[in-house]
Amino acid sequence: MTDTIKSLSALLAEGKVSSVELCQDSLERIQRLNPALNAFITVDADKTLRDAAAADARRAAGQAGPLTGVPIAHKDIFCAEGWLTTCGSKMLSNFVSPYDAHVIEQFKAAGMPCLGKTNMDEFAMGSSNETSFYGPVRNPWDTDRVPGGSSGGSAAAVAARLCPAATGTDTGGSIRQPAALTGITGLKPTYGVVSRYGMIAFASSLDQAGPMATTAEDCALLLNVMAGFDPRDSTSLEREKEDYARELTQPRNQPLAGLKIGLPREFFGAGLSGDTARAVEEAINQLKKLGAQTVAVGLPNSKLSVAAYYVLAPAEASSNLSRFDGVRYGYRTPEYRDLADMYEKTRAEGFGSEVKRRIMIGAYVLSHGYYDAYYLQAQKLRRLIAQDFVEAFQQCDVILGPTAPTTAFKLGEKTADPVEMYLSDIYTIAVNLAGLPGMSLPCGFDAQGLPIGLQLIGNYFAEARMLNAAHQYQLATDWHTRAPTL
Ligand code: GLN
């Protein structure tokens, strides 16, 4: 299946295909290709086909919305009623959610059948999808390589055309980095645009859900479904519903005339691989042909973003993950002497090593005597990093750079050195610290035929504008249409 959501929606509306047929196609492809990719943790054909039949019935009754019947896969971080919801962890390996996350509710209300739950790094901690309790996800462009993380299952599933779209979450780059490494389009919205209710928490001040699909236009349509105020998330923003596709203009001469693109000096220095730098340069030229102008901007504090993030995110994680204690739900060690022994063994056995590393770092930076030296300092850096963007956006409408410093790396290549792994997110993390929207879209291939991602960063709530820049680029190029042969 190589169709976009937009085209599937038209086929459904014209009655040329049914939702049941679309879901059957996807399920067959998943059955055939998932064993090699490990993109899905849970598939339940009966449930999916039930959703599909309901969508077809709704259409027959004249009550279909634009995306009714289009199937979607969900990252296993979203609680979905009646579905095993593991977050990639042994800790939740027996957890069948009794309720729906806000994001799941929204897709259900839109009538989009759930194709299954996708694999991910354990508790969304990782950049390669190798920390999952369910084993690594493989990149469909080269199965010896990682798809990126933590939304690597969703990315691999869309890239391999197992599903037309999937949900992801992005705390430090987990939608954009795997989108880049698998050659798809992924969007992290402004913090607070999509409710975190029912989305298993990693670092609450950074976590944000977003769409992953093949085109920017599809991401806009999906964000229309996902976004919206939800009183159950205290950081959900009370704003009018907006149409994220409203600025997507038809092909015309110089469609991006008047758009100012900021190029941060810090994003084009050493550390960027040659092929990536070249592809990003070519993308800039293409955008200029479409009428955009470029301006150099500075993000002088962005070099501190990885360091600040790896204090703040673990601090929040250590607090969020304290709830997994074996008492109310999830994994519990089979044998224990007393309550303290039960807690200890449950957490020792239930969490993987990356999660334990984060909990220990988090507890350390929050402890008496270290709080001021680490946590408070990192909070101050966060403010400076965000302020850089405020200043940059006085000179431009969107910021452009690479999404990731390299293309997909080999499985096992970075697992021995956590810091090297953390540096995979060097270009994405500052966006989360600032709470800004960002996206990745395909802009070429390296010498080995691996996809390269282009990152666009928008100002607060400027998703629609950023999406149109990406859409115009995709109307003029065909990188996003290329799929791996499987
Ligand atoms: N790779 C980063 C981390 O390991 C970001 C993960 C994410 O965005 N969920 O924390």
Side-chain angles (χ1 to χ4, degrees):
M1 177 167 47
T2 54
D3 299 298
T4 60
I5 288 199
K6 168 95 176 168
S7 65
L8 294 176
S9 152
L11 290 175
L12 285 160
E14 290 160 19
K16 294 203 171 123
V17 70
S18 69
S19 179
V20 167
E21 285 164 342
L22 288 181
C23 289
Q24 275 167 342
D25 277 359
S26 276
L27 288 166
E28 266 169 40
R29 217 170 144 76
I30 292 169
Q31 202 178 20
R32 185 158 59 81
L33 297 170
N34 195 53
L37 298 174
N38 199 24
F40 282 84
I41 293 175
T42 306
V43 179
D44 185 331
D46 290 345
K47 265 207 193 62
T48 302
L49 293 172
R50 229 179 293 141
D51 284 0
D56 286 334
R58 183 169 153 183
R59 189 169 289 282
Q63 285 158 357
L67 302 186
T68 299
V70 178
I72 184 163
H74 294 297
K75 185 176 182 179
D76 211 18
I77 199 167
F78 293 101
C79 287
E81 192 190 339
W83 286 86
L84 183 67
T85 299
T86 70
C87 219
S89 183
K90 179 174 179 181
M91 192 58 101
L92 290 174
S93 54
N94 61 1
F95 176 65
V96 176
S97 177
Y99 75 108
D100 282 329
H102 184 250
V103 163
I104 302 286
E105 285 176 351
Q106 303 278 88
F107 282 112
K108 271 191 183 170
M112 295 179 70
C114 171
L115 273 177
K117 306 291 295 289
T118 59
N119 203 348
M120 56 180 285
D121 278 305
E122 185 177 7
F123 287 105
M125 298 174 189
S127 308
S128 67
N129 232 291
E130 292 167 292
T131 73
S132 170
F133 173 64
Y134 296 89
V137 178
R138 288 166 184 274
N139 192 318
W141 292 92
D142 176 351
T143 51
D144 290 334
R145 292 177 186 270
V146 305
S150 66
S151 312
S154 290
V158 173
R161 308 306 193 246
L162 304 185
C163 53
T167 49
T169 64
D170 192 313
T171 303
S174 278
I175 288 175
R176 291 161 288 155
Q177 187 255 10
L181 271 49
T182 58
I184 65 160
T185 306
L187 169 80
K188 178 203 106 65
T190 306
Y191 183 80
V193 159
V194 177
S195 166
R196 291 179 296 105
Y197 177 78
M199 182 177 121
I200 297 167
F202 163 13
S204 309
S205 77
L206 301 157
D207 297 341
Q208 189 61 197
M212 303 174 82
T214 53
T215 66
E217 183 170 39
D218 280 1
C219 285
L221 299 175
L222 293 164
L223 189 56
N224 280 349
V225 177
M226 297 174 83
F229 175 62
D230 172 21
R232 296 166 302 182
D233 168 3
S234 63
T235 59
S236 169
L237 294 163
E238 214 169 338
R239 306 179 80 243
E240 292 275 312
K241 264 265 190 203
E242 60 177 285
D243 176 9
Y244 293 97
R246 69 183 184 279
E247 291 197 23
L248 305 186
T249 48
Q250 293 306 310
R252 61 179 152 108
N253 195 26
Q254 301 278 294
L256 297 180
L259 184 80
K260 276 209 186 120
I261 299 180
L263 305 176
R265 294 173 200 96
E266 296 76 6
F267 281 17
F268 293 91
L272 191 60
S273 90
D275 285 343
T276 302
R278 181 189 39 72
V280 171
E281 282 304 326
E282 278 171 22
I284 295 170
N285 290 335
Q286 180 62 55
L287 289 160
K288 282 187 185 162
K289 276 190 212 147
L290 296 170
Q293 285 168 278
T294 58
V295 48
V297 296
L299 297 173
N301 293 296
S302 65
K303 61 178 181 294
L304 301 168
S305 61
V306 173
Y309 174 90
Y310 278 97
V311 170
L312 298 173
E316 295 187 32
S318 74
S319 166
N320 274 325
L321 270 57
S322 63
R323 74 191 65 176
F324 301 106
D325 57 6
V327 176
R328 285 155 302 176
Y329 55 88
Y331 175 76
R332 181 189 295 172
T333 187
E335 281 172 49
Y336 48 90
R337 283 190 313 276
D338 52 25
L339 186 63
D341 192 45
M342 192 280 279
Y343 286 155
E344 245 179 74
K345 285 192 179 141
T346 294
R347 288 169 67 83
E349 294 161 15
F351 290 135
S353 57
E354 183 60 28
V355 172
K356 286 178 188 160
R357 180 180 294 126
R358 307 277 180 118
I359 291 172
M360 285 194 287
I361 294 171
Y364 179 83
V365 299
L366 289 173
S367 60
H368 183 72
Y370 295 106
Y371 182 92
D372 289 353
Y374 295 105
Y375 185 74
L376 214 57
Q377 284 298 109
Q379 289 288 25
K380 290 180 184 168
L381 289 181
R382 180 175 189 172
R383 173 52 70 97
L384 292 175
I385 290 162
Q387 188 58 35
D388 281 356
F389 282 106
V390 170
E391 281 161 32
F393 278 120
Q394 282 166 3
Q395 293 169 261
C396 63
D397 306 302
V398 314
I399 289 175
L400 177 152
T403 306
T406 65
T407 53
F409 43 94
K410 289 245 164 80
L411 276 119
E413 194 177 317
K414 299 191 183 187
T415 40
D417 182 354
V419 174
E420 212 198 313
M421 187 72 88
Y422 298 167
L423 289 171
S424 313
D425 298 311
I426 182 97
Y427 300 121
T428 51
I429 279 181
V431 172
N432 300 76
L433 291 169
L436 291 164
M439 66 185 294
S440 180
L441 59 153
C443 70
F445 291 86
D446 72 2
Q448 288 148 298
L450 299 166
I452 297 171
L454 178 74
Q455 182 173 213
L456 297 178
I457 302 167
N459 208 342
Y460 298 106
F461 310 115
E463 281 89 348
R465 191 121 201 237
M466 174 176 77
L467 280 161
N468 186 45
H471 177 60
Q472 295 306 329
Y473 177 79
Q474 291 184 331
L475 289 176
T477 57
D478 70 353
W479 306 116
H480 61 286
T481 65
R482 315 261 184 109
T485 38
L486 287 162

